[in-house]
Amino acid sequence: MNPDQYCQEKCAASGSSFYYSFLFLPPERRQAIMALYAFCREVDDVVDECNDISLASTKLAWWRQEVERIGEGNPQHPVGQALKKVAPGINLPKEQLLEIIDGMEMDLQQSRYLDFKGLSLYCYRVASVVGLLAAEIFGYQDRQTQKYAHDLGMAFQLTNIIRDIGEDARRGRIYIPVEELQQFNVTAKDILDGKYSDNFTALMQFQYDRAQKYYEQAFAQLPAIDRKNQRPGLIMAAIYRTLLAEIKDENFQVLHQRISLPPMRKLWLAAKTWIKG
């Protein structure tokens, strides 16, 4: 298995909505985005699958060294080798790859956030930075597209937080800011116990409204000249917003289950968005 095949398998195996947006890209850009996504999966898996914090920190430190080795031209991991092969015209600064690792490391250092300001830094590192790198891969002419990519990344991560609140709580992490839990009179124990209530629904509606605001901000900031190149991001947005609507339609029943869209529906949304342009 060569590095590109490794990355493609990593992406396909994840079952992520993002995979469907990659299918329509020309080979060079498809290989680049799959390498980036595989990198994100590798470092995210370190945190999610390693229960020993010390060992997870050591593994993330190894990935920091791997990012340096990519820049030096001698990476060891198939994902690093795939990133090294990314076309010279596609700019993937090592500082931003390292910032993604910084975001993953935050999960080892804290499991709660006092306010949205603190959560925003986490979302920026694990999602908006990925959005900025993805925008580079897709290509753009107007720098305003960077603002679109930033806000779209925020929207995706806020959607993830809503979808995964029960699953994350069982892993010991609650990403809803403490201030907002208090504002809506929902306790961490309520979430861990899977307790639904009118207060919980109101809390989730608040999270939903904020995510929708970021989607709207993102779309408003995408210049017309870059819309065609940025279609993969718009595909992701179509899938994620449909998922978000589905969660709302199910009255935010996310504590005991993970709501998702079937693969054929994702593929249909992807094709529809690509054709629409």
Side-chain angles (χ1 to χ4, degrees):
M1 187 184 296
N2 65 39
D4 290 334
Q5 290 169 333
Y6 179 94
C7 292
Q8 181 172 353
E9 189 166 297
K10 187 79 176 177
C11 293
S14 73
S16 169
S17 301
F18 292 94
Y19 179 70
Y20 294 86
S21 70
F22 305 161
L23 300 176
F24 298 87
L25 285 167
E28 186 178 85
R29 296 188 185 276
R30 184 169 65 246
Q31 288 171 359
I33 193 64
M34 286 191 175
L36 173 62
Y37 185 75
F39 171 80
C40 294
R41 284 259 48 89
E42 291 286 349
V43 293
D44 188 47
D45 288 348
V46 167
V47 174
D48 284 346
E49 297 177 3
C50 186
N51 295 323
D52 184 326
I53 292 178
S54 177
L55 179 57
S57 295
T58 300
K59 288 184 175 183
L60 288 181
W62 185 92
W63 275 105
R64 289 185 188 281
Q65 294 168 359
E66 180 72 348
V67 169
E68 297 294 338
R69 287 191 290 267
I70 293 168
E72 295 163 0
N74 60 344
Q76 299 175 8
H77 195 280
V79 170
Q81 291 163 5
L83 284 168
K84 184 179 83 71
K85 286 172 53 186
V86 167
I90 298 174
N91 183 32
L92 301 180
K94 75 172 185 179
E95 292 79 11
Q96 290 185 314
L97 294 174
L98 291 171
E99 199 154 19
I100 293 170
I101 299 175
D102 289 341
M104 302 304 173
E105 202 149 37
M106 289 176 75
D107 275 332
L108 302 181
Q109 298 166 348
Q110 63 185 107
S111 57
R112 306 284 171 87
Y113 291 88
L114 176 62
D115 52 27
F116 185 66
K117 182 180 179 181
L119 180 65
S120 293
L121 175 61
Y122 174 76
C123 292
Y124 169 75
R125 286 175 169 173
V126 301
S128 288
V129 172
V130 180
L132 291 167
L133 290 168
E136 293 285 344
I137 291 171
F138 303 149
Y140 63 88
Q141 298 179 53
D142 190 327
R143 291 181 65 84
Q144 179 77 13
T145 295
Q146 293 178 330
K147 294 182 179 179
Y148 147 82
H150 172 281
D151 284 352
L152 194 60
M154 288 290 294
F156 289 158
Q157 189 60 27
L158 293 173
T159 302
N160 283 340
I161 287 170
I162 293 168
R163 178 194 63 193
D164 297 339
I165 182 171
E167 186 178 311
D168 287 335
R170 288 186 287 276
R171 286 177 170 163
R173 302 186 198 118
I174 296 177
Y175 293 102
I176 307 296
V178 172
E179 284 187 353
E180 293 168 16
L181 290 172
Q182 293 174 343
Q183 178 184 343
F184 289 91
N185 197 26
V186 174
T187 67
K189 188 175 186 301
D190 290 338
I191 292 173
L192 286 166
D193 290 347
K195 179 182 176 183
Y196 294 104
S197 64
D198 290 343
N199 287 350
F200 177 77
T201 301
L203 172 66
M204 288 296 99
Q205 181 67 49
F206 182 80
Q207 309 303 315
Y208 170 92
D209 290 342
R210 179 160 56 205
Q212 290 287 19
K213 179 182 175 183
Y214 273 101
Y215 282 114
E216 294 300 332
Q217 282 180 192
F219 298 147
Q221 293 178 117
L222 177 59
I225 195 172
D226 289 331
R227 184 176 177 87
K228 184 175 181 180
N229 280 350
Q230 295 297 320
R231 279 183 296 182
L234 296 174
I235 288 173
M236 297 177 211
I239 294 172
Y240 261 63
R241 286 193 99 183
T242 301
L243 171 64
L244 193 58
E246 196 87 356
I247 291 170
K248 179 178 168 63
D249 288 346
E250 294 201 25
N251 202 31
F252 303 107
Q253 298 288 296
V254 287
L255 294 177
H256 71 288
Q257 63 179 342
R258 180 176 182 174
I259 297 172
S260 61
L261 302 178
M264 284 306 296
R265 191 172 183 193
K266 292 179 184 178
L267 189 57
W268 179 81
L269 286 165
K272 177 184 174 184
T273 306
W274 186 266
I275 293 168
K276 181 181 176 183

